[in-house]
């Protein structure tokens, strides 16, 4: 069965989840899988020499479990264990995968029909992060000592990727970001449906 898979990745507090949820409300037959749901328990998270828990790395995530959830959706996209809005049978099943480390994980590479990456500047990211409550909470120095350096490292890693990633300005309003992505996706989905008819 033809499916359409969208990746929404990027910096912490960049607006990934908000964008994914807005798109899900407006796209027919759309499900969302969130990478944040696959963090390992705190007892399994490594600590660095500064005592910082290493959450912003792939090793902190149970990626095999996430891949299983994606595989289950691929096998039965209309009867998904993840949140789904019912759509008409003519609609192509759409899956949005959102998370901070999607394009650094090779097994996901072949899935993407569209790839988005949200960016915000350091100061804005630090400000937004300080307004959020995490479990466990961020300790003093955690953003500068772990979160931001890991983001820069992972962003550099994806600069040589061969497929197209559309970079989005996360400082834009939620509405502007949504409109930009939604319009583009509508065009892509129309093309996708035409291909489906002709193949």
């Amino acid at each position: 069965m033809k499916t359409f898979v969208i990746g929404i990745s990027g910096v912490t507090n960049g607006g990934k989840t908000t964008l994914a949820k807005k798109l899900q409300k407006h796209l027919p037959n759309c499900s969302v899988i969130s990478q944040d749901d696959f963090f390992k328990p705190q007892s399994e998270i490594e600590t660095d020499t500064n005592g910082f828990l290493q959450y912003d790395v792939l090793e902190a995530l149970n990626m095999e479990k996430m891949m299983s959830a994606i595989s289950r959706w691929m096998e039965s996209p209309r009867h998904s264990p993840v949140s789904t809005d019912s759509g008409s049978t003519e609609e192509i099943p759409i899956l949005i995968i959102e998370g901070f480390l999607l394009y650094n994980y090779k097994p996901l590479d072949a899935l993407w029909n569209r790839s988005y990456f949200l960016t915000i500047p350091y100061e804005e990211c630090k400000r937004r992060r300080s307004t959020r409550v995490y479990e466990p909470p961020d300790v003093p120095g955690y953003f500068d000592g772990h979160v931001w350096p890991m983001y820069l490292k992972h962003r550099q890693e994806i600069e040589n990727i061969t497929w197209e990633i559309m970079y989005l300005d996360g400082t834009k309003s939620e509405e502007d970001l949504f409109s930009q992505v939604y319009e583009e996706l509508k065009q892509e989905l129309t093309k996708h449906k035409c291909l489906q008819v002709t193949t």
Side-chain angles (χ1 to χ4, degrees), residues 1-2 4 24-32 73 77-80 83-96:
M1 182 189 284
K2 264 267 211 267
F4 193 89
Q24 184 184 21
K25 279 183 189 162
H26 291 84
L27 292 170
N29 204 14
C30 182
S31 304
V32 174
W73 183 87
R78 288 198 178 81
H79 306 287
S80 173
S83 50
T84 309
D85 286 340
S86 58
S88 71
T89 49
E90 296 83 45
E91 297 296 344
I92 297 168
I94 300 166
L95 177 63
I96 297 173

Side-chain angles (χ1 to χ4, degrees), residues 8-188:
I8 300 177
S9 194
V11 67
T12 178
N13 293 275
K16 300 179 293 294
T17 307
T18 304
L19 179 58
K21 284 180 177 170
K22 259 185 176 325
L23 288 168
Q24 184 184 21
K25 279 183 189 162
H26 291 84
L27 292 170
N29 204 14
C30 182
S31 304
V32 174
I33 290 177
S34 177
Q35 194 174 36
D36 281 2
D37 294 338
F38 298 93
F39 274 108
K40 292 175 182 173
Q42 189 180 336
S43 58
E44 294 177 33
I45 305 297
E46 299 283 327
T47 305
D48 73 2
T49 52
N50 298 310
F52 293 142
L53 286 163
Q54 301 293 286
Y55 271 106
D56 289 58
V57 294
L58 276 170
E59 292 73 24
L61 295 150
N62 189 334
M63 292 304 291
E64 292 77 19
K65 196 173 170 187
M66 182 172 155
M67 290 303 291
S68 295
I70 294 166
S71 295
R72 281 197 306 275
W73 183 87
M74 290 292 202
E75 285 161 19
S76 182
R78 288 198 178 81
H79 306 287
S80 173
V82 291
S83 50
T84 309
D85 286 340
S86 58
S88 71
T89 49
E90 296 83 45
E91 297 296 344
I92 297 168
I94 300 166
L95 177 63
I96 297 173
I97 305 171
E98 66 95 4
F100 71 109
L101 273 181
L102 300 181
Y103 310 135
N104 305 73
Y105 188 66
K106 289 267 176 274
L108 287 170
D109 288 3
L111 289 180
W112 311 120
N113 292 102
R114 295 304 288 157
S115 307
Y116 297 97
F117 192 95
L118 282 147
T119 65
I120 50 175
Y122 165 84
E123 289 297 343
E124 176 62 11
C125 188
K126 192 171 185 178
R127 185 193 68 74
R128 289 186 190 182
R129 179 97 183 186
S130 70
T131 66
R132 294 269 294 273
V133 178
Y134 289 90
E135 189 51 54
D138 283 359
V139 294
Y142 190 66
F143 182 84
D144 288 314
H146 175 64
V147 176
W148 191 254
M150 286 296 108
Y151 161 67
L152 294 177
K153 175 182 180 283
H154 294 132
R155 172 133 185 216
Q156 191 172 10
E157 283 173 6
I158 65 168
E159 278 173 8
N160 298 323
I161 274 173
T162 51
W163 77 88
E164 185 190 0
I165 295 177
M166 181 181 271
Y167 288 88
L168 302 170
D169 178 359
T171 63
K172 283 184 176 178
S173 73
E174 288 176 14
E175 272 311 312
D176 284 353
L177 271 173
F178 166 73
S179 299
Q180 178 187 349
V181 175
Y182 182 62
E183 289 308 316
E184 204 245 344
L185 284 173
K186 279 201 303 189
Q187 291 174 15
E188 284 301 310

